[in-house]
Amino acid sequence: MLVHNSDKNNVVLITGASSGIGKCLASLLSQRGYRVYGTSRKQPLMNMESRSNAAGHGMSRDNTTFDRGSTDSPDCGFIKMIQLDVCCDESVEQAVNYVIQQEGRIDILINNAGFGLAGAVEDVSHEEAYRQFDTNFFGVLRMCRKVIPIMREQKSGIIINISSVAAQFSIPFQSMYSASKGALELVTEAMRIELKPFGIKVCLVEPGDTRTSFTDNRQTAKAALQEDSAYGERFRKSVNAMIRDEINGPAPEGVAKVVLKLIKRKNPPIRKVVGIKYKVFVFLKRLLPSRIVEYLISKMY
């Protein structure tokens, strides 16, 4: 197993790194010298059995995107994109095994892959709700169950789960997304205690509305699109408010910088809210009666 004397040589595995927050994370960490393996469902299938010895810019011999930065030094950071579907056990196993084959270790796991599902609770089918949880919640579990044994053997590691302020404030007409992130937060709190004796740190990052492709990738429950839906006008107004806030939200680079700071901290906190506005919201929720909080959210959406 490889031994890294500098955290700049740490191996990072990021899910959902082809766009948005994940892409910014991969770029920032590689610039800081980290060895980044980003993942995407759409990345062309690679030969998991072969090793890449490519250097410089371009493609590796197994056709994965490979960027070592401006030098060919083995200590220089890089981004290498590999295929991974967090909803598939076999895909998770192949991708994690590939990184171990290449590097001998995984120091940082960032669970970022996810999407939003819009629709009233009544309009969301069982299958649609399951797909939401399969990516946002069970996808994280698949990654953690595969990577944790590696980190336990190393006696070190950092797991950062990208959550959302929606876990703190359940958003109307996006309840399944809020629920999936809420479940993720409770599991993360338990993992933090369970893994501490093994030298593994676990924390959450809670972005608010961020200007990414999340908006374009939001899925809508089929029943919510029907003219006979009981929630039609209210649903459309709520989703339009979400879209407006996301389009006008901060760039994802801010989230990436917060994650970098957490990685460098000796004892990172359990959760970190991103953005002054959202920190104020979370603070006020602790102070205000729940009836007032409910009223304010209903006015926002």
Side-chain angles (χ1 to χ4, degrees):
M1 182 168 289
L2 300 178
V3 178
H4 298 272
N5 296 321
S6 169
D7 63 0
K8 288 188 176 182
N9 290 322
N10 282 350
V11 178
V12 186
L13 177 58
I14 306 174
T15 65
S18 61
S19 63
I21 292 172
K23 185 175 182 179
C24 286
L25 276 167
S27 177
L28 177 62
L29 293 177
S30 67
Q31 290 170 15
R32 299 301 177 92
Y34 292 83
R35 305 165 69 83
V36 178
Y37 288 80
T39 76
S40 169
R41 288 185 298 111
K42 299 178 181 179
Q43 184 69 23
L45 183 64
M46 61 188 165
N47 179 4
M48 293 291 187
E49 300 301 322
S50 67
R51 287 185 60 89
S52 167
N53 295 312
H57 299 283
M59 303 296 291
S60 68
R61 289 190 301 181
D62 52 22
N63 293 324
T64 54
T65 305
F66 192 73
D67 184 358
R68 278 195 178 274
S70 59
T71 74
D72 293 341
S73 167
D75 292 331
C76 182
F78 65 76
I79 302 171
K80 188 172 187 179
M81 292 298 296
I82 61 177
Q83 187 185 67
L84 190 156
D85 181 354
V86 297
C87 297
C88 174
D89 291 337
E90 182 180 2
S91 178
V92 169
E93 182 173 5
Q94 286 183 335
V96 172
N97 287 346
Y98 178 80
V99 176
I100 292 300
Q101 183 188 43
Q102 299 293 299
E103 302 289 344
R105 64 188 294 116
I106 296 174
D107 299 290
I108 302 165
L109 169 64
I110 302 177
N111 288 303
N112 171 72
F115 73 94
L117 173 66
V121 172
E122 181 182 353
D123 285 342
V124 176
S125 69
H126 173 83
E127 292 76 14
E128 289 168 334
Y130 177 78
R131 287 199 299 272
Q132 176 79 105
F133 272 78
D134 198 25
T135 298
N136 293 10
F137 179 72
F138 291 110
V140 174
L141 292 189
R142 290 185 183 94
M143 295 301 301
C144 288
R145 285 174 57 82
K146 184 63 180 177
V147 172
I148 286 173
I150 297 167
M151 291 183 170
R152 279 197 294 103
E153 184 179 350
Q154 297 169 178
K155 296 182 172 58
S156 67
I158 304 171
I159 298 174
I160 298 178
N161 294 329
I162 305 299
S163 181
S164 169
V165 291
Q168 301 268 0
F169 304 90
S170 189
I171 302 174
F173 304 109
Q174 200 159 288
S175 60
M176 295 303 127
Y177 177 76
S178 298
S180 68
K181 292 300 187 180
L184 174 61
E185 297 231 345
L186 291 176
V187 166
T188 302
E189 290 178 2
M191 286 172 53
R192 186 177 168 93
I193 298 171
E194 293 171 357
L195 299 179
K196 185 176 181 180
F198 301 103
I200 302 172
K201 304 170 187 177
V202 188
C203 55
L204 293 153
V205 174
E206 297 177 339
D209 294 314
T210 308
R211 194 168 66 250
T212 68
S213 58
F214 179 89
T215 303
D216 295 331
N217 293 332
R218 179 182 284 108
Q219 298 182 19
T220 303
K222 290 182 180 179
L225 298 173
Q226 302 302 312
E227 292 184 2
D228 59 352
S229 172
Y231 308 92
E233 187 62 25
R234 292 175 58 213
F235 167 72
R236 286 188 288 273
K237 286 182 177 180
S238 181
V239 172
N240 286 336
M242 297 176 203
I243 293 173
R244 181 189 65 243
D245 291 343
E246 291 162 0
I247 291 175
N248 295 311
E253 284 80 4
V255 181
K257 291 177 181 178
V258 169
V259 172
L260 178 61
K261 290 180 180 178
L262 288 175
I263 289 173
K264 290 181 172 296
R265 290 187 63 166
K266 182 177 181 180
N267 295 302
I270 176 62
R271 57 175 47 82
K272 189 72 174 177
V273 180
V274 182
I276 297 297
K277 179 173 72 172
Y278 301 104
K279 290 179 181 179
V280 172
F281 286 168
V282 171
F283 177 73
L284 288 177
K285 184 185 179 183
R286 298 171 184 168
L287 298 179
L288 298 175
S290 58
R291 184 176 298 178
I292 294 179
V293 174
E294 180 180 337
Y295 173 78
L296 293 174
I297 293 175
S298 68
K299 287 299 181 182
M300 291 174 62
Y301 297 105

